[in-house]
Amino acid sequence: MKFFPKTTLFIATIALSTGAQAVILCEMNGKPVNPSDGAATAGLSGLLRCRDADTGHLQREQELRAGKYLGIERFFDRDGKLSKERSVNERGNSQGRVREFWPNGQLKRESYAENGDTRGLVRSFTQSGQPESLRFVQERREVFSLNYNAQGQMTDLRCPAAS
């Protein structure tokens, strides 16, 4: 009979009781990087790629410029399929096109942001790719919206009351 140190049993018990978390490994320019350690990313520029250690599937990609998260960000589902894509500014807010995808790869939602605020056209689609809604946002207010049925036909047009 083998005996294990108490700490080993404690760690194993915690892992079994809480459910094991996936181990994520990140690299940049072919070198391992710990994105939680500011010293490890200080001054770096390029695309940080993080993968599930067990499956090798991408979990996220983030652009670094001189050690700051700035530019493109992509997030992937468990199977490595793209689920969300956006660019971030120096404040970490969405800047430019923001897109979300259904698990089958179809575009789910597309919008534009300026310093985190949605601006302009916002398009939403069903999993089959049919239009679901179309909205126009200006100064944090919806100017108008269109809704569509499952066949892609317009069913509803809404405009705010006149000012």
Side-chain angles (χ1 to χ4, degrees), residues 141 160-163:
R141 291 188 355 208
S163 57

Side-chain angles (χ1 to χ4, degrees), residues 96 98 109-114 116-124 133-146 158-160:
V98 178
R109 184 176 187 271
E110 181 177 49
S111 63
Y112 293 86
E114 190 170 313
D117 290 333
T118 300
R119 301 271 170 101
L121 198 58
V122 179
R123 300 182 317 151
S124 297
S133 69
L134 180 69
R135 300 182 312 131
F136 192 85
V137 178
Q138 185 175 350
E139 297 177 12
R140 296 184 180 184
R141 291 188 355 208
E142 191 173 274
V143 177
F144 74 85
S145 67
L146 298 169
R158 294 180 187 212
C159 300

Side-chain angles (χ1 to χ4, degrees), residues 11-108:
I11 292 169
T13 302
I14 290 174
L16 291 173
S17 65
T18 61
Q21 296 292 322
V23 175
I24 305 297
L25 301 175
C26 299
E27 60 89 16
M28 183 175 216
N29 302 325
K31 296 178 184 174
V33 175
N34 179 357
S36 300
D37 179 4
T41 58
L44 293 180
S45 292
L47 194 60
L48 177 76
R49 288 186 173 95
C50 299
R51 298 177 181 278
D52 181 298
D54 293 330
T55 64
H57 292 150
L58 270 173
Q59 296 299 301
R60 75 175 189 260
E61 294 180 324
Q62 292 178 280
E63 189 174 353
L64 280 162
R65 295 183 193 166
K68 296 181 181 178
Y69 292 99
L70 185 63
I72 195 75
E73 267 187 356
R74 292 183 188 102
F75 296 94
F76 301 83
D77 66 15
R78 288 183 179 161
D79 297 325
K81 294 179 184 173
L82 184 62
S83 62
K84 187 173 183 176
E85 176 181 66
R86 69 179 186 151
S87 287
V88 295
N89 61 19
E90 61 282 345
R91 293 181 175 172
N93 295 326
S94 295
Q95 185 71 39
R97 185 168 65 173
V98 178
R99 298 188 314 165
E100 294 177 50
F101 299 89
W102 290 101
N104 66 4
Q106 287 285 343
L107 184 62
K108 181 178 186 177

